[in-house]
Amino acid sequence: MKTNITELPEWQALTAHHQQIATTHMQDWFDADPERFARMSLHFNDIFLDYSKNRITSETLPLLIRLASAAGLRGKIEELFTGKAVNFTEGRAALHTALRDPSATPLLQHGQDIKPAINHALQQINAFIRKVHSGEWRGSTGKPVRDIINIGIGGSHLGPLLGVNALSDYATLNLRCHFISNIDTMHVSEVLKQIDPEASLFIISSKSFTTLETTTNANTLKAWLQAQIPGKNINIHFAAVTAAAAKATAFGVPVAQIFPVWDWVGGRYSIWSSIGLPLALLIGEENFQEFLRGAHAMDEHFRHTDFEFNMPVIMALLGIWYINFFGANNHAIVPYSHQLTHLRTYLQQADMESNGKNISRDGTLLPYATGPIIWGEQGCNAQHAFHQLLHQGQHFIPVDFILVAQGQQNFAQHHDILVASGLSQAQALLYGKSYDAALAELIAAGADKTAAEILARHKSIPGNKPSNLLFVNSITPRSLGALLALYEHKIFVQGAIWNINSFDQWGVELGKQLLPRILADVTGAAELEPHDSSTRGLINHYKKVKA
Ligand code: F6P
């Protein structure tokens, strides 16, 4: 395929189509077509997607699908699932889908079937869950586990954090899960105040076991724990999830408590692997299996369904439509669900680390935009914070609303209000309020005509703002698995069409490279590295104020 997809006839057809419909108000399409919702919505298992409130006609999706086909999407999906080195800058596969595939069909990496290793890791996790849940696991003073503390950052943090918060209702034991990701000791101290050291299990979660934040925190916590439990061998309080088992052993983690992860699992796609250990310990073996099953069902849907009815493909194509044809540079995620509090940060890493790229597969600088800025907040909080900008601001902001049909029943009215709020925001973005309607309201309320004519301008809302609405039946291990896999595949499709590598992160690596040099200058007496005047000035300022 052409490197520059903007030269494809399919792209040019979309440009022409955009010119034709860009100024049409969605309201006109809704008025003209009572079947629009029925035609532009889709159900898959526990997830319902309404994409009718998008700036599209019945021609748009077929044109976008043609672009996807011209970009070789079908073949690229097969490459992903069959373990080709889709992470071509690091020569690796990205086989998160294999982690949730229950079939025994062999999948080769470097000539070896990886399925037995995946299975073995799951058995190891399950055996550990049983040990912890039965009380057989005891700390160095004989106490069973009460506090699980995950020490990890990025993909070794955000997935477990999201999962544990979303699925706490499924906890089968009174375990408290804590997360230490940041190197900021304020974060560390905050967690340490809440735990019982003798009943603690620290999970060092680091694929590389070299991430500075994680290794520094792990060493600090080990020293802290030893001081809390003097004279005992505290190693039993540590487990590790890593691809570098030797490093974990050197740290002192007992071999039976070292869980594997492999180079073909990307950090931000790793919740399905042993990185999910805190979640698995909290919700238990069967629920964790359900989580994997939900994701696998979405994998099957994605892999085998025609693009026209394929949920991740449709969401990805709509994103491309806005980014590349309407010039959107961002995408808001607004879940009306406290359980999905951490979805936005999870998706920030998943999407922005994956598709925040500017170089095509063959090494040329891309002449078109790629991954959007992902941002958002849970509703209704978002309404009282930034929705004003959605309604009347000048930026183009597509929104994903995520609603949950079955919420907690003990306060049923709350849940109806929550759902109605999400629906009314989506409707407000669609219709807005015309100048005439605003004026009529003011006049009806007895306002002076001249003043009303001015005020009505402020009160008129353009509408025509696009949104998807995902209705999840309820937040269960299965539906959460499906939801996360849905977004993973959406991100994959966009990267495939943009012809980029969605699985590396060289920008992040640059920060990791620079840190030791700056750290040496921050802590040392003299400047070792020549810096720009700003960095030098700031280092000196810090040293002076600190002293
Ligand atoms: O943020 C960069 C990154 O490499 C992520 O991709 C990864 O999830 C995170 O660091 C943590 O890496 P590790 O698991 O090796 O500590």
Side-chain angles (χ1 to χ4, degrees):
M1 91 171 250
K2 273 199 168 76
T3 293
N4 182 354
I5 51 167
T6 62
E7 288 170 8
L8 291 170
E10 290 80 2
W11 184 284
Q12 283 148 16
L14 281 159
T15 306
H17 177 59
H18 172 254
Q19 276 162 12
Q20 278 165 10
I21 68 158
T23 54
T24 311
H25 202 292
M26 282 187 280
Q27 186 172 356
D28 297 343
W29 293 325
F30 271 95
D31 291 347
D33 177 9
E35 295 303 311
R36 186 174 169 89
F37 167 75
R39 285 192 304 101
M40 295 184 182
S41 54
L42 196 66
H43 212 160
F44 177 69
N45 288 353
D46 293 334
I47 303 181
F48 184 89
L49 167 67
D50 169 24
Y51 62 96
S52 62
K53 294 193 193 78
N54 277 292
R55 303 272 290 268
I56 56 172
T57 67
S58 51
E59 281 174 70
T60 317
L61 205 51
L63 287 172
L64 285 163
I65 288 172
R66 264 176 242 159
L67 176 70
S69 301
L73 180 60
R74 186 57 74 194
K76 287 178 178 173
I77 293 173
E78 279 315 292
E79 285 180 8
L80 175 76
F81 278 87
T82 53
K84 299 289 176 308
V86 288
N87 180 354
F88 48 85
T89 59
E90 297 181 290
R92 291 176 192 164
L95 276 171
H96 41 285
T97 51
L99 296 166
R100 53 219 193 195
D101 176 2
S103 81
T105 317
L107 192 45
L108 299 185
Q109 281 297 293
H110 314 298
Q112 265 207 320
D113 182 10
I114 59 169
K115 289 287 186 62
I118 295 172
N119 220 359
H120 186 262
L122 260 177
Q123 298 315 323
Q124 192 193 352
I125 291 174
N126 291 341
F128 193 55
I129 293 173
R130 285 195 287 272
K131 230 172 148 180
V132 167
H133 285 212
S134 66
E136 187 192 334
W137 185 98
R138 298 270 159 171
S140 53
T141 60
K143 282 194 180 177
V145 181
R146 182 76 213 273
D147 291 292
I148 293 175
I149 308 99
N150 192 76
I151 311 169
I153 197 162
S156 302
H157 162 64
L158 293 166
L161 177 73
L162 162 68
V164 158
N165 276 280
L167 299 175
S168 58
D169 280 354
Y170 287 82
T172 48
L173 197 69
N174 192 15
L175 288 173
R176 297 181 296 208
C177 290
H178 313 267
F179 292 86
I180 295 180
S181 56
N182 207 341
I183 192 73
D184 190 333
T185 47
M186 295 299 283
H187 189 187
V188 178
S189 328
E190 199 179 274
V191 172
L192 294 185
K193 272 186 231 152
Q194 301 167 34
I195 66 170
D196 174 357
E198 292 177 39
S200 64
L201 174 68
F202 293 85
I203 301 174
I204 308 169
S205 196
S206 178
K207 187 174 144 187
S208 60
F209 221 84
T210 57
T211 303
L212 190 59
E213 294 89 342
T214 302
T215 52
T216 308
N217 280 332
N219 284 318
T220 302
L221 290 164
K222 193 175 175 188
W224 174 85
L225 191 64
Q226 189 66 81
Q228 302 296 311
I229 316 177
K232 295 277 182 191
N233 180 353
I234 53 151
N235 285 349
I236 190 71
H237 292 268
F238 286 86
V241 180
T242 186
K247 289 195 173 87
T249 310
F251 180 90
V253 181
V255 173
Q257 291 180 188
I258 300 176
F259 299 85
V261 59
W262 304 273
D263 70 346
W264 41 263
V265 183
R268 50 194 176 271
Y269 299 93
S270 63
I271 176 66
W272 323 101
S273 70
S274 315
I275 297 283
L277 185 61
L279 175 62
L281 282 168
L282 183 77
I283 64 177
E285 193 176 328
E286 177 49 27
N287 286 323
F288 192 68
Q289 282 296 339
E290 274 290 283
F291 177 63
L292 300 182
R293 279 183 211 121
H296 177 65
M298 184 56 77
D299 293 341
E300 292 289 285
H301 165 78
F302 172 55
R303 190 175 180 183
H304 301 296
T305 308
D306 286 348
F307 292 161
E308 196 187 344
F309 305 108
N310 192 313
M311 208 178 271
V313 171
I314 291 172
M315 286 176 65
L317 293 176
L318 290 168
I320 286 186
W321 180 229
Y322 295 131
I323 292 165
N324 298 118
F325 298 92
F326 282 80
N329 70 352
N330 75 99
H331 197 112
I333 304 290
V334 185
Y336 278 71
S337 161
H338 189 65
Q339 288 159 289
L340 298 179
T341 300
H342 296 286
L343 182 65
R344 182 247 309 155
T345 26
Y346 179 83
L347 291 180
Q348 280 177 326
Q349 189 200 14
D351 202 322
M352 291 160 83
E353 203 167 77
S354 296
N355 285 344
K357 308 288 162 66
N358 62 0
I359 298 291
S360 80
R361 204 181 171 81
D362 65 3
T364 50
L365 191 63
L366 297 174
Y368 47 85
T370 54
I373 299 158
I374 300 292
W375 65 292
E377 173 58 81
Q378 60 172 304
C380 300
N381 296 354
Q383 290 173 215
H384 297 274
F386 59 74
H387 276 215
Q388 168 58 33
L389 184 124
L390 301 184
H391 294 296
Q392 286 187 303
Q394 309 265 40
H395 301 286
F396 194 101
I397 306 173
V399 184
D400 283 0
F401 289 103
I402 303 164
L403 270 54
V404 179
Q406 295 164 1
Q408 277 198 340
Q409 293 309 312
N410 44 350
F411 300 115
Q413 199 207 353
H414 282 233
H415 197 69
D416 289 342
I417 296 172
L418 190 65
V419 168
S421 299
L423 293 176
S424 55
Q425 287 298 307
Q427 190 182 50
L429 288 174
L430 164 65
Y431 287 129
K433 183 189 274 190
S434 70
Y435 173 81
D436 290 346
L439 185 64
E441 265 178 23
L442 286 163
I443 301 284
D448 162 74
K449 187 164 180 289
T450 317
E453 279 171 358
I454 295 172
L455 191 53
R457 285 200 203 115
H458 293 274
K459 290 190 149 205
S460 61
I461 321 277
N464 209 19
K465 309 280 169 103
S467 65
N468 290 317
L469 197 138
L470 285 165
F471 236 126
V472 182
N473 285 0
S474 63
I475 301 293
T476 62
R478 191 178 271 259
S479 70
L480 184 70
L483 184 68
L484 300 189
L486 166 63
Y487 274 101
E488 281 181 352
H489 294 317
K490 174 203 162 178
I491 292 163
F492 173 79
V493 169
Q494 294 190 331
I497 294 174
W498 287 323
N499 208 21
I500 56 177
N501 184 351
S502 297
F503 298 104
D504 59 9
Q505 58 281 322
W506 297 108
V508 183
E509 303 306 328
L510 171 64
K512 289 185 188 172
Q513 254 173 16
L514 290 183
L515 175 64
R517 281 148 56 183
I518 304 249
L519 182 61
D521 285 342
V522 160
T523 50
E527 180 178 307
L528 301 176
E529 290 281 335
H531 293 298
D532 59 274
S533 64
S534 167
T535 307
R536 185 184 311 120
L538 292 167
I539 291 174
N540 289 336
H541 174 79
Y542 170 66
K543 283 170 141 174
K544 201 168 100 196
V545 176
K546 187 184 162 193

